[in-house]
Amino acid sequence: MNGKLIGEGGSSKVYRIWSKEKNDFVVEKRSRYPLVWESVWLRKLQGFSVPKFYGIRKEKGCWILMMEYVYGKTLEELIAEQPAENKRLFEIVENVIIELIRIRRIYPDLVFCDLKPSNIIVNRDRQITFIDFDSVSRAGVKKICKGTRPYAAPEIFQGIPDRKSDIYSIAQIVWQINAWKLDGLFFGVIAPCIRKEVPKRQGNPEWLLKKIKIHRIKLQILHLLEVIGKKIRFLLLVFAVLFIVIWLLEKNHDIIKFTRAVRDCIIVV
């Protein structure tokens, strides 16, 4: 079988293939189960932050979904590489929420169901791309969903996805970026979005976007104050050293004057 295996899960395997026709790499997702549902949603979401759809076919009992190869790293990889509370990671989450809002203007009942860091690719410009649409559903429509703990909301495993389910997933991602801390961000932003009871859960993406932006601005201000504090401490250290040097020079000057006076007295005697 040609191509490099770049991912697998459940009954599917994902390969990176060189395409002479595209003069670039493409992705082939191969499964013994039909990939029609995933291809339908991939086609519907063309124009949003998803890979380009190149086609679907069946060969020798194997379903093959072909799409664009997206360059970049998964959000999962970036979280593992970067320290907690990194403001760049929060900016990526903002882009995820903004794109979800854009999609829901056209498909208001869409639920990804399996929104998690490994299903989000980020390029060098911090632009995001959603991948894996096998679990996409509509709110209130019963469906066997493939959720991943801890990102999937409880109703996903019950087969009853809700519009608030994806907000639950995003809030869990934010909590992971924040190193699972039980701090102000958790109690003020994350906790309201991950309540198990759907009616009690905060599910407004605009509300979550606003809160994340405010938190990122706070991080920027704290970082700026930290930089200023370091510069002030450096300047104080420089001034302290200069003061000591000047004091020593003056002290040394007085000693020299005293020594010369004693010498002159001796000569006179």
Side-chain angles (χ1 to χ4, degrees):
M1 186 176 287
N2 295 327
K4 178 182 178 181
L5 181 66
I6 59 174
E8 59 182 314
S11 60
S12 302
K13 291 187 178 182
V14 182
Y15 295 87
R16 188 185 68 178
I17 310 288
W18 177 259
S19 171
K20 292 182 180 179
E21 179 184 351
K22 305 291 183 184
N23 195 33
D24 199 354
F25 288 107
V26 299
V27 167
E28 283 192 358
K29 184 172 185 178
R30 300 168 181 170
S31 175
R32 63 180 181 273
Y33 295 109
L35 298 173
V36 178
W37 179 260
E38 185 168 356
S39 69
V40 167
W41 276 107
L42 180 56
R43 278 183 285 190
K44 283 185 176 182
L45 293 174
Q46 293 297 289
F48 294 102
S49 295
V50 301
K52 293 178 182 177
F53 172 75
Y54 291 148
I56 183 172
R57 65 186 188 276
K58 188 177 182 182
E59 290 182 358
K60 299 178 180 179
C62 178
W63 287 88
I64 301 173
L65 174 61
M66 193 165 71
M67 67 191 89
E68 173 190 15
Y69 175 75
V70 180
Y71 291 87
K73 294 184 177 181
T74 65
L75 181 54
E76 182 179 48
E77 292 172 318
L78 293 178
I79 291 173
E81 293 174 0
Q82 300 186 27
E85 295 190 349
N86 189 306
K87 60 181 183 296
R88 293 183 178 178
L89 293 177
F90 285 107
E91 184 180 347
I92 292 168
V93 172
E94 288 178 26
N95 292 336
V96 170
I97 301 172
I98 290 170
E99 193 61 16
L100 179 63
I101 292 171
R102 284 187 64 230
I103 291 172
R104 286 191 173 174
R105 286 173 186 160
I106 306 299
Y107 303 104
D109 296 328
L110 177 140
V111 185
F112 278 99
C113 294
D114 197 22
L115 200 54
K116 57 185 179 181
S118 60
N119 281 345
I120 300 170
I121 296 180
V122 185
N123 67 13
R124 292 181 178 179
D125 298 322
R126 294 195 283 280
Q127 296 174 328
I128 64 103
T129 301
F130 295 118
I131 59 174
D132 196 347
F133 309 95
D134 184 45
S135 296
V136 173
S137 184
R138 290 188 179 277
V141 178
K142 288 190 176 183
K143 181 179 185 289
I144 299 175
C145 304
K146 298 176 182 177
T148 305
R149 300 182 189 276
Y151 309 104
E155 63 272 11
I156 294 298
F157 298 106
Q158 297 167 7
I160 312 172
D162 188 90
R163 279 172 54 87
K164 296 181 180 180
S165 301
D166 287 339
I167 303 303
Y168 181 103
S169 300
I170 295 172
Q172 289 284 7
I173 294 172
V174 172
W175 195 10
Q176 182 180 3
I177 290 172
N178 201 42
W180 310 108
K181 294 178 182 176
L182 298 176
D183 55 7
L185 177 64
F186 173 80
F187 292 106
V189 180
I190 298 168
C193 297
I194 61 172
R195 292 191 177 108
K196 292 183 179 180
E197 302 83 0
V198 176
K200 297 180 180 179
R201 187 187 307 157
Q202 171 60 254
N204 188 333
E206 285 85 359
W207 180 89
L208 182 57
L209 178 62
K210 180 181 177 181
K211 293 294 184 180
I212 298 300
K213 282 184 176 181
I214 291 172
H215 182 73
R216 183 165 60 86
I217 291 171
K218 286 181 181 178
L219 289 180
Q220 290 174 331
I221 293 172
L222 289 174
H223 177 71
L224 181 61
L225 291 174
E226 184 180 353
V227 171
I228 293 172
K230 287 181 179 179
K231 290 184 178 180
I232 290 175
R233 288 196 295 270
F234 175 75
L235 289 174
L236 289 174
L237 178 62
V238 171
F239 285 137
V241 171
L242 287 174
F243 176 81
I244 293 171
V245 170
I246 292 171
W247 181 80
L248 288 174
L249 289 174
E250 289 179 349
K251 196 78 173 176
N252 188 49
H253 181 68
D254 291 340
I255 293 172
I256 291 172
K257 285 175 65 178
F258 176 77
T259 305
R260 286 177 178 174
V262 172
R263 184 195 63 187
D264 291 342
C265 290
I266 295 172
I267 292 174
V268 169
V269 172

